[in-house]
Structure formats: structure tokens, C-alpha cells
């Protein structure tokens, strides 16, 4: 079976024939062309092709799933038998279900093929730029890739989606070094539909590379204070991931989420509006349908500080009795605020510019702490110096409520668009 | 099942080439508050070739394992290397030649359990939590099985077949205090297939009882006083320290990237009580949690003694960094999936036991903390580290006191290890660790308890 749509149809038919009344099949073909550089030199051209065929079946509310990366009839027939065994072995749970019928749709985004010569030229130019502009910077690892995905979703309720998606991705990890002194490592990246400009011009790349060269000599944060923290767009992603965890299936099903009773309640300062926009034209990566078979839509998670949706899938929604989300999260965008970054820094009496956090996972109650990396001490409205061995601690719920300002400037990473966010009442302690 | 022998393809190699056929098989059962939330199996298999030419690499992978695909993958990897070579003209030296061969199959000899039996096992664990542990407000049990089966052939003539399994159960228990959830998780199992690791549910009961008792005390626990304190880091924290804060800084690719360890070779970096080794497969006469006999470049894996009695002795290498550092490869090149290239990865990183008794070490602390379990950890190229601590106790006048709520420890590892004044005479492995560095990979982390000064977070 060479035709990919025929394969998914064969899978659904085989699952039904095996006596599985609710069946779902996702077939994904992916290819990646990846250029790697180590220590500022191109080192590897990697080309990978893979297939993933995921079959899910439900019998009498009992669920089983099998994923393989073969598409020949013998492998599929074996996988169908395994789905049957897994589902029959499980325990009934009325929350198990597949998505209801929706109109069939095909989606397409981004280029179909990489421009390998352009990729080579761009990464070479990036390495040259770094070498000449930031001679103290060591590019430990640089990866430029192009990912092409073709996906099919079919289920026994007649849902039939197909998507083709191609985009470039870039990541650079670097350390600045002079003699025996060095900065902490830092990294950034982006996604893009084309490579129409130099790599250092995307996202926050050039700014972070420059800042690393300032961070070779660091000083201790003075004492222990409760003060302000301005989170950079690169660092903000860590906080958003933690918020998303409290809004997702596991936290809400176990009832441990700090937001379990907060739908339509004020959970953040009214300045904060957070979207998840996986099908936005502004997002190069993203997705078109969810893993449980719903066409993805853009959503607003927090509007003017009010929680408007959880990030529950079909199972989680059934299990908790709360509404299902229209997407699976990610592709986050925060609306720009009214203050310039300079105004935000000027407003800080004592605090830090938090550029990267090395932190533990937050506790179930939202408490977290971490070390401020690649970060700066701010005093009387001025950035004083880069800091070392500085710990911050707070509670995630309080962080959202203690937002003081959001910047008018935002960074477009291609997979997220985020501003700087100023938070009050953070415990900051030096050594 | 993948082909165990690839010798017939050796004629297709023109430059230095590694050919690897691999299948990863996993099984996951998640039971949340008694409901089977996940019940899934997956397998991912395919072939890859990596070719070296004058200082640059080409890598290609495909999911089919047929003669035709293997030939195409070798030809395409060679083409990728030629493409880069034609542009870069690096003129790199040939790689060191290593020759090794062997078969290590750790498949169970016991009859395989059905999925129904595995689910029943997990539900029995869940039932015990309900029946025996009062006050639990949320519970999650997760069975995670992984078999990694690899065949390797290199143009040097190395050939290897391995089947390396791992079987883990993670249990998370939550209780409430004034409506606020307090969680403690623990990992059970380790190296081996399910049948060899988990005989019966009651084999877990003793450890589960201890986990519950620690959680009960944690609910009544306190936050530690912030600052630099005398601490006893138990084995699991010593293990993550060895891996994250020292191990990564001594991977030769990180050293090239600017790691601080690059300046410390043959210098005293720790107390003379500290010896730290990345074990290949055997440690103190026993098989390690992640045994590696031949790495994915076909090099015989050897122990890397990183710190010997406080002195930094060596880095971990693949063939390319061994060339650059004028030394031998150590067998640390490992890939997670068939479509991943081998990277320098740790295997089983541990501090070696000393001569002190744990109870005497605790008794020697007047005002400090006994820190037992980490959540996660991160470290920097400067060896500055931060670990979450989810289980621990205060020590007052040499006696264990109240339990601790979640906290963090941080510091600069090469400074902190100089403060070590005692190392216990026992050793425990953390067998459930997965390290992330472009790709995930199973690792072992181990150690005794160490007495040191460390910065603790407080609240």
C-alpha cells in the first residue's frame, strides 16, 4: 500500500473488522534535513525519514493504543491484534471516546522542500557573523533544520483530516569565554516558513549572543530582598509551560491543579491576555488537528486576567465534567502591554532582569524556586551588572497576580510571540 | 526482532562508516486514581548510516529494514558527507581505529506476561494505596518499559548486537494540608525486562510503605532555613550531582564548548575523599543499571575515571574528540533511536563509597539537613547547579528532626566538592534516570551519602 490515505482506511477497516467499534488512526510521515555545527564549525548533515502509525481502539469503554513505524499489511494486522488485546485487557472508563464527525478537511502550510544550498549559506553566514562580531563567543552547538510532515487522521465516526506542513527551525547554544573566565551557557531559537534574512536577525538571537559576551564577569546579588523580576521573552516560556501544566488533563483529573475551580475567575493581573494560536498565520510551526481528532482552533486562555479555558482534551473533559479546549495548547502569544522595556527597568527600585531560570519543577501547590542564569541586578532603575549564584522563589499563582507591567515590545520566535513581563514581590537571594 | 549480523554490507562502505539497525519497544500503563488513563505500546525501528570524511559527517536514516533501504542509506550518508566535505574542505584527520565485537542480550528467559497481567499488577499496586495508606487525595502509578535492541557494523570491523531493557514503575502520592496538595513520588525497578524486575506486587510493598511514611511526615513538614548549611546528601542526590554538575562538564564536546572543567585537568577539584567514575558496565563487581559494552561507534566501552581522590583525571570521549584531545575514545558515543546520531553520553556515573557510616555522619551535624531525593536538576558549563529536593529532614544536634517541604539546593560543584568531609560506605543507584542532550537517553546515577556544605533554598 503506497497510498497513505488507503493505509489509514485499511487500518480503520481492520480495527472495525476485529470487533473494535470505536477506532482511530493517525499516520504521520516526516522528514528532516539538519545542518549541525559544533564549536563554530559545520560538522554534520543529517537526513532522517520516519513514519508513525498510531492505532487506538475502544471496546465497551476500554481503551488500547499501539504505535508502529511500519505501514506494510503484515505489520498493520499485527498492530490491530495488539490493539484488541490491549483494549480487552483494560478497565472500562466511560470517559474514553473518539471525536465526533466533523467536515473533512485538508490543511497546508509552509514550503514542501528545503532549500539546502540556502540553509548552508545561512548557517555559514551565521558562524562568520558570530566569529567577527562576538570573538569571545563559543558556539557550542548550532542546528538549522527543515522539517516536512504529512499527517492523516481518520476515525470510525468519519473524521478525515489531512495536513502537509513544512518549516525551518534553528537553535544555537553558546558560552562567552575569556581566558579561564566564562559566562553561563545560553541558548535561543526560532521557527520560520522561509529563510529570507540572516539567522541572527530572527527572534532574540543577536541580543542573547551580545548579552552573553557581557556575562563573562559576574558578581553576587547583594543580600536577600523581596523585589521585582522582569522576565525576558526567552525565559517566559518556562513559566508558560508551568501554567499550562496546571490547566492540563493530569492536574485537573487528579484535582491537584491550583486552577481547578478558577474557570472564568480572575487568576492574573488584568494586563495579562494569553492566547494559544496553533493555526495562526503568525506561527510557522503549530498544528491543524489535535491528537484526539478535533480540528484545532485558536483560543484565548487568559483574557484581561480571567481564565477563559482549560487545556483539557476529550478524555480529560469527560473525566472532569469541565469544557474541552479547542486546541492542545502551545503556540503562545501574549498581548503587548503599554510600557516600553526601558520604562519597566526604570521603575524597578531593586530587582533582577531574569534572562534564564535553572529551576526545579513547581510543586503541586505552585511553589517554585530556581537559579537566575544569564541575568542582571537592577537598582534604582538601572541595570547594574550580571549576577551569579542568585536564587529566586515564589508561587506561580502569585506570579500571575503580581504582574506589574507588560512591555510594548515583543519577540517573535515563529512558534511563540512574547513580551517582557515585570513581576512584583519575588524573593531574590544572593549567596 | 532485528538482524543480529550486518557483515554482508561491509563492502558498501567507502569512507569511515557506522551502520546501525535498531528497534526501541516501549509499553506504558498509567493508572490515575484507579482509572487506566493510558494503555499503550509502541515500536520504532529502522536503519541509519553515519559517514566521516575529512572532518565532517553525513548521516541518513530510514524506517524500513530491507537490503535495498540499507544500501540506499549507506549511499546517501556518504553523499551527505561528500556534500559537506566539498563545501568545508576541512581536511580533518582520520578517526582512531577501534575494533570490538560482542553480543549482549538481556532478554528475559521467563515466559512473557500479557498486557492483562501487567494491568492487573498495576491495579493491585493502586488497590494497596487505597487500602493501606490513609489520607491520600490523589495517586498515579505509571509502568514504563523500554527495550533497546541494536545491531552495529563499522568500517573499522567492529560488530555488536545488544538488547538492553529497562522496567520502571513511578508512584506519585498526594496528601493535603489545609487544602494545599503535597506530593511525593518514587521510582521502582530498573535494569531488565519486566518479568526479571517485578516478580510480584508485594515485592514493592516495603518501599511503598517507606514512601508513604515519608509523605506523611512531609505533610507535617517545614521549609528549611535558607543559607549555606552542613548537609548530608544521600545517594540519589550525590548521584545527580555526579551526573549533572560534574559529568556534563567533563563530556569532551562540552569541554570544547567552553566548560570550566577544561581548565582543571590534573588539578585538585574536590576533597581527596571523592572519586567519581563513569562506569561502562560493571561497578564494584555488579552489573550497572545501563550496561554499555560496545558503544555506537564500535569502541570497547571502558570506565572513565573522572575524579580520582579529588584530582580531575580525564574527560569522556567519542572518536572525534579523542582525536582532538590526543587520547583514546572511552566508549561514550551513544544514540537513543535509530534516527539519532551517536553523541558523547554518560553511562553510569557515580561517586565511589568511602569509609564513614551514614548514621555517624548524621550524628556529626549540629544544625543542618539530611537531603534524600531530588526531583530534577540542571547544571551549567561553570558547574553551577540547582537541584529540586522533594524528600529530606532537618538535623538538630545530630538527630533527625522534622521532614522538609519541597526545596532546592544550589552551588558550584567544583567548589562544593572541596567541602566534603565524609563519604558513607554504602552505595545506591538511581536506575530510572533519563538524560536530555539533543536526544533523551537512559543513564544510571549512583553514589554513597556525602557530608558537605551546600546552599539550601528555604522559602
Amino acid at each position: 500500500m503506497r497510498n497513505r490515505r488507503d493505509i489509514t482506511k485499511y487500518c480503520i477497516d481492520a480495527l472495525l473488522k476485529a470487533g473494535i467499534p470505536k477506532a482511530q488512526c493517525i499516520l504521520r510521515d516526516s522528514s528532516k534535513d539538519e545542518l549541525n555545527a559544533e564549536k563554530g564549525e559545520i560538522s554534520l548533515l543529517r537526513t532522517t525519514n520516519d513514519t508513525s502509525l498510531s492505532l487506538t481502539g475502544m471496546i465497551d469503554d476500554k481503551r488500547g493504543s499501539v504505535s508502529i513505524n511500519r505501514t506494510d499489511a503484515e505489520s498493520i494486522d499485527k498492530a490491530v491484534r495488539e490493539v484488541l488485546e490491549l483494549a480487552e485487557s483494560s478497565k472500562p472508563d466511560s470517559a474514553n471516546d473518539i471525536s465526533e464527525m466533523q467536515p473533512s478537511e485538508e490543511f497546508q502550510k509552509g514550503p514542501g522542500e528545503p532549500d539546502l544550498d540556502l540553509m548552508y549559506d545561512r548557517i555559514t553566514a551565521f558562524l562568520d557573523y558570530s566569529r567577527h562580531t562576538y570573538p569571545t563567543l563559543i558556539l557550542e552547538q548550532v542546528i538549522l533544520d527543515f522539517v516536512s510532515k504529512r499527517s492523516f487522521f481518520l476515525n470510525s465516526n468519519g473524521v478525515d483530516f489531512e495536513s502537509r506542513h513544512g518549516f525551518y527551525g534553528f537553535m544555537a547554544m553558546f558560552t562567552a569565554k575569556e581566558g579561564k573566565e566564562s559566562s553561563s551557557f545560553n541558548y535561543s531559537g526560532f521557527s520560520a516558513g522561509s529563510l529570507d534574512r540572516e539567522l541572527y536577525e530572527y527572534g532574540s538571537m543577536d541580543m542573547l549572543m551580545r548579552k552573553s559576551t557581557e556575562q563573562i564577569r559576574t558578581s553576587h546579588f547583594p543580600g536577600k530582598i523581596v523585589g521585582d523580576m522582569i522576565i525576558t521573552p526567552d525565559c517566559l516560556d518556562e513559566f508558560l509551560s508551568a501554567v499550562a501544566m496546571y490547566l492540563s488533563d493530569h492536574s485537573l483529573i487528579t484535582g491537584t491543579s491550583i486552577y481547578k475551580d478558577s474557570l472564568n475567575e480572575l487568576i492574573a493581573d488584568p494586563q495579562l491576555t494569553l492566547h494559544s494560536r496553533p493555526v495562526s498565520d503568525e506561527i510557522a510551526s503549530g498544528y491543524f488537528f489535535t491528537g484526539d481528532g478535533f480540528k484545532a482552533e485558536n483560543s484565548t486562555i487568559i483574557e484581561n486576567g480571567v481564565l477563559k479555558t482549560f487545556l483539557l482534551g476529550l478524555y480529560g473533559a469527560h473525566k472532569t465534567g469541565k469544557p474541552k479546549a479547542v486546541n492542545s495548547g502551545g503556540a503562545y502569544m501574549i498581548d503587548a502591554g503599554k510600557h516600553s522595556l526601558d520604562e519597566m527597568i526604570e521603575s524597578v527600585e531593586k530587582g533582577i532582569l531574569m534572562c534564564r531560570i535553572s529551576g526545579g519543577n513547581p510543586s503541586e501547590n505552585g511553589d517554585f524556586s530556581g537559579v537566575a542564569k544569564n541575568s542582571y541586578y537592577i537598582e534604582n532603575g538601572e541595570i547594574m551588572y550580571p549576577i551569579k549564584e542568585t536564587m529566586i522563589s515564589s508561587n506561580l499563582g502569585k506570579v500571575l497576580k503580581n504582574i506589574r507591567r507588560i512591555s510594548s515590545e515583543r519577540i517573535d520566535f515563529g512558534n511563540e510571540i512574547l513580551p517582557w513581563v515585570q513581576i512584583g514581590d519575588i524573593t531574590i537571594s544572593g549567596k | 526482532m532485528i538482524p543480529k549480523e550486518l557483515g554482508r554490507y561491509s563492502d558498501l562502505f567507502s569512507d569511515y562508516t557506522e551502520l546501525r539497525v535498531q528497534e526501541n519497544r516501549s509499553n506504558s500503563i498509567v493508572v490515575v486514581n484507579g482509572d487506566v488513563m493510558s494503555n499503550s505500546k509502541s515500536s520504532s525501528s529502522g536503519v541509519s548510516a553515519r559517514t566521516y570524511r575529512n572532518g565532517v559527517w553525513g548521516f541518513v536514516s530510514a524506517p524500513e529494514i530491507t537490503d535495498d533501504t540499507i544500501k540506499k542509506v549507506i549511499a546517501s550518508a556518504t553523499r551527505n558527507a561528500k556534500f559537506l566535505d566539498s563545501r568545508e574542505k576541512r581536511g580533518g584527520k582520520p578517526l582512531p581505529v577501534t575494533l570490538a565485537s560482542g553480543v549482549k542480550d538481556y532478554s528475559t528467559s521467563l515466559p512473557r506476561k500479557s498486557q492483562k497481567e501487567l494491568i492487573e499488577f498495576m491495579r493491585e499496586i493502586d488497590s494497596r494505596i487505597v487500602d493501606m495508606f490513609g489520607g491520600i487525595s490523589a495517586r498515579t502509578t505509571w509502568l514504563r518499559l523500554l527495550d533497546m535492541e541494536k545491531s552495529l557494523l563499522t568500517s573499522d570491523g567492529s560488530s555488536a548486537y545488544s538488547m538492553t531493557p529497562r522496567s520502571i514503575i513511578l508512584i506519585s502520592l498526594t496528601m493535603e494540608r489545609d487544602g494545599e496538595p503535597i506530593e511525593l513520588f518514587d521510582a521502582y525497578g530498573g535494569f531488565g525486562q519486566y518479568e526479571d524486575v517485578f516478580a510480584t506486587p508485594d515485592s514493592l510493598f516495603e518501599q511503598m510503605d517507606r514512601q508513604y511514611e515519608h509523605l506523611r511526615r512531609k505533610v507535617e513538614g517545614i521549609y528549611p532555613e535558607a543559607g549555606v548549611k552542613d548537609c548530608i546528601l544521600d545517594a540519589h542526590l550525590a548521584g545527580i550531582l555526579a551526573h549533572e554538575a560534574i559529568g556534563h562538564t567533563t563530556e569532551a564536546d562540552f569541554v570544547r564548548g567552553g566548560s570550566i572543567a577544561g581548565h582543571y585537568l590534573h588539578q585538585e577539584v574536590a576533597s581527596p575523599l571523592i572519586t567519581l567514575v563513569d562506569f561502562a558496565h560493571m561497578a564494584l563487581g555488579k552489573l550497572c543499571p545501563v550496561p554499555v559494552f560496545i558503544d555506537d561507534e564500535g569502541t570497547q566501552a571502558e570506565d572513565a575515571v573522572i575524579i580520582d581522590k579529588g584530582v580531575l583525571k580525564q574527560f569522556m570521549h567519542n572518536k572525534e574528540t579523542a582525536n582532538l584531545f590526543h587520547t583514546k575514545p572511552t566508549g561514550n558515543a551513544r544514540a537513543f533511536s535509530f534516527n539519532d546520531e551517536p553523541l558523547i553520553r554518560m553511562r553510569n556515573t557515580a561517586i565511589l563509597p568511602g569509609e564513614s557510616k551514614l548514621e555517624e555522619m548524621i550524628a556529626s551535624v549540629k544544625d543542618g539537613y539530611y537531603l534524600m531525593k531530588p526531583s530534577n536538576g540542571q547544571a551549567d558549563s561553570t558547574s553551577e547547579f540547582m537541584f529540586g529536593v522533594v524528600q529530606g529532614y532537618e538535623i538538630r544536634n545530630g538527630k533527625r528532626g522534622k521532614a522538609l517541604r519541597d526545596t532546592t539546593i544550589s552551588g558550584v560543584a567544583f567548589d562544593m566538592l572541596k567541602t566534603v568531609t565524609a563519604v558513607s560506605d554504602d552505595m545506591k543507584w538511581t536506575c530510572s534516570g533519563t538524560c536530555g542532550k539533543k536526544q533523551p537517553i537512559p543513564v544510571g546515577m549512583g553514589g554513597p551519602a556525602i557530608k558537605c556544605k551546600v546552599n539550601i533554598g528555604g522559602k
Side-chain angles (χ1 to χ4, degrees), chain B residues 317-333:
Chain B
H317 289 284
N318 59 15
K319 286 186 170 181
E320 191 172 22
T321 62
N323 241 359
L324 293 164
F325 284 73
H326 310 291
T327 185
K328 283 194 316 180
T330 47
N332 284 84

Side-chain angles (χ1 to χ4, degrees), chain A residues 358-379:
Chain A
S358 173
N361 298 324
S363 302
E364 284 185 335
N365 66 4
D367 285 350
F368 71 92
S369 55
V371 178
K373 312 292 291 188
N374 309 92
S375 299
Y376 294 83
Y377 173 48
I378 306 173
E379 187 182 282

Side-chain angles (χ1 to χ4, degrees), chain A residues 34 36 42-43 45-47 63 65 67 69-70 86 117 120 177 184 250 319 363 365 367 373, chain B residues 34-35 39 41-43 45 57 59 61 80 87-88 90 140 180 223 263 339 380 384 406 408 438:
Chain A
E34 179 186 277
N36 287 248
I42 294 175
S43 55
L45 172 57
R46 175 170 171 247
T47 308
R63 177 191 182 102
S65 297
S67 175
N69 69 341
R70 307 281 180 88
L86 264 63
D117 287 319
Y120 181 84
K177 201 168 172 68
S184 292
H250 187 265
K319 205 73 201 163
S363 302
N365 66 4
D367 285 350
K373 312 292 291 188
Chain B
D35 291 323
N39 173 28
K41 281 185 177 181
S42 75
S43 69
S45 60
W57 294 90
F59 179 97
S61 69
N80 277 5
R87 302 287 183 108
E88 291 291 297
R90 186 86 38 83
T140 300
E180 196 177 276
Y223 287 100
H263 298 290
N339 53 15
D380 205 331
E384 187 177 358
D406 290 349
T408 50
K438 195 178 179 194

Side-chain angles (χ1 to χ4, degrees), chain B residues 25-172:
Chain B
R25 295 177 292 272
S26 61
N27 190 339
S28 171
I29 297 169
V30 182
V31 181
V32 177
N33 292 345
D35 291 323
V36 181
M37 195 166 153
S38 170
N39 173 28
S40 62
K41 281 185 177 181
S42 75
S43 69
S44 172
S45 60
V47 57
S48 68
R50 188 172 71 146
T51 296
Y52 178 86
R53 191 178 177 90
N54 301 325
V56 293
W57 294 90
F59 179 97
V60 169
S61 69
E64 300 89 22
I65 308 172
T66 62
D67 270 357
D68 191 40
T69 310
I70 290 174
K71 285 173 189 167
K72 280 183 184 162
V73 160
I74 294 169
S76 301
T78 306
R79 197 160 54 241
N80 277 5
K82 281 181 177 168
F83 171 85
L84 276 193
D85 182 39
S86 69
R87 302 287 183 108
E88 291 291 297
K89 299 183 174 58
R90 186 86 38 83
K93 285 198 300 185
L95 296 170
V97 175
T98 62
L99 195 57
S101 64
V103 173
K104 291 288 174 186
D105 186 347
Y106 288 103
S107 303
T108 183
S109 56
L110 297 172
R112 299 310 311 266
K113 299 279 188 191
S114 68
Q115 193 77 359
K116 192 177 179 65
E117 288 171 298
L118 302 190
I119 290 174
E120 278 169 6
F121 187 103
M122 295 305 288
R123 292 188 64 197
E124 204 168 326
I125 298 289
D126 182 72
S127 297
R128 177 174 166 83
I129 297 169
V130 174
D131 296 343
M132 303 297 290
F133 301 159
I136 297 293
S137 58
R139 58 194 197 279
T140 300
T141 56
W142 182 10
L143 176 69
R144 219 169 57 178
L145 310 180
L146 173 66
D147 291 344
M148 291 178 78
E149 189 181 14
K150 293 179 179 181
S151 290
L152 176 77
L153 178 73
T154 74
S155 53
D156 286 351
S158 285
S159 63
Y161 169 84
S162 63
M163 209 303 278
T164 312
R166 172 188 261 198
S167 302
I168 306 287
I169 290 176
L170 300 169
I171 299 179
S172 162

Side-chain angles (χ1 to χ4, degrees), chain A residues 130-179:
Chain A
S130 172
R131 201 174 297 125
H132 291 112
T133 314
Y134 306 114
T136 58
L137 201 73
I138 298 173
L139 291 170
E140 188 173 333
Q141 188 177 46
V142 177
I143 300 172
L144 174 63
D145 62 29
F146 178 83
V147 176
S148 173
K149 295 178 189 173
R150 191 173 172 209
S151 305
F152 298 86
F153 184 105
L154 254 73
N155 76 14
S156 52
N157 283 346
V159 176
D160 184 347
F161 295 137
E162 179 181 346
S163 70
R164 289 166 193 262
H165 194 180
F167 58 93
Y168 292 94
F170 182 70
M171 192 283 296
M173 182 175 166
F174 38 82
T175 302
K177 201 168 172 68
E178 277 180 19

Side-chain angles (χ1 to χ4, degrees), chain A residues 2 34-36 38-39 41-51 63-70 82 85-93 96 116-117 120-121 124 138-141 143 173-175 177 179-185 224 238 249-250 253-258 260 315 319 356-365 367 369-374 388-391 393-395 398 427 429-431, chain B residues 23 27 30 32-37 39-46 50 55-65 80-81 83-84 87-88 90 114-116 119 123 137-140 172-176 179-183 223 226 228 253-254 256-260 263 267 320 338-341 343 375-376 378-382 384-386 388 405-412 415 438 455-459:
Chain A
R2 278 301 185 195
E34 179 186 277
L35 278 165
N36 287 248
E38 280 183 14
K39 211 187 173 190
E41 290 185 327
I42 294 175
S43 55
L44 166 69
L45 172 57
R46 175 170 171 247
T47 308
T48 64
N49 294 291
D50 203 3
T51 290
R63 177 191 182 102
S65 297
V66 170
S67 175
I68 57 176
N69 69 341
R70 307 281 180 88
E82 283 191 310
E85 188 210 335
L86 264 63
E88 285 180 334
S89 306
S90 195
K91 186 192 160 198
D93 185 343
N96 283 323
L116 198 57
D117 287 319
Y120 181 84
D121 291 344
T124 302
I138 298 173
L139 291 170
E140 188 173 333
Q141 188 177 46
I143 300 172
M173 182 175 166
F174 38 82
T175 302
K177 201 168 172 68
K180 289 187 177 180
E181 293 181 294
S182 66
S183 69
S184 292
F185 73 80
K224 179 177 179 178
E238 292 273 339
D249 279 16
H250 187 265
I253 290 170
T254 56
T256 54
S257 168
I258 54 176
K260 63 182 176 186
Y315 177 84
K319 205 73 201 163
R356 180 165 75 86
I357 181 168
S358 173
N361 298 324
S363 302
E364 284 185 335
N365 66 4
D367 285 350
S369 55
V371 178
K373 312 292 291 188
N374 309 92
K388 63 180 171 185
E389 296 187 68
T390 303
M391 182 83 83
S393 60
S394 186
N395 176 280
K398 289 179 183 164
T427 303
S429 45
K431 193 175 176 185
Chain B
E23 180 167 19
N27 190 339
V30 182
V32 177
N33 292 345
D35 291 323
V36 181
M37 195 166 153
N39 173 28
S40 62
K41 281 185 177 181
S42 75
S43 69
S44 172
S45 60
R50 188 172 71 146
V56 293
W57 294 90
F59 179 97
V60 169
S61 69
E64 300 89 22
I65 308 172
N80 277 5
F83 171 85
L84 276 193
R87 302 287 183 108
E88 291 291 297
R90 186 86 38 83
S114 68
Q115 193 77 359
K116 192 177 179 65
I119 290 174
R123 292 188 64 197
S137 58
R139 58 194 197 279
T140 300
S172 162
L173 302 175
T174 301
M175 295 177 83
E176 290 191 356
E180 196 177 276
I182 296 166
E183 182 203 16
Y223 287 100
V228 176
D253 50 349
F254 273 23
R256 286 190 77 213
S259 151
I260 195 77
H263 298 290
Q267 292 182 27
E320 191 172 22
F338 77 90
N339 53 15
D340 288 325
E341 75 279 25
L343 305 173
S375 52
N376 61 335
Q378 292 177 15
D380 205 331
S381 46
T382 56
E384 187 177 358
F385 65 88
M386 195 295 312
R405 300 282 293 275
D406 290 349
T407 187
T408 50
I409 56 170
S410 62
V412 175
D415 294 343
K438 195 178 179 194
N455 188 37
I456 191 160
K459 185 178 168 74

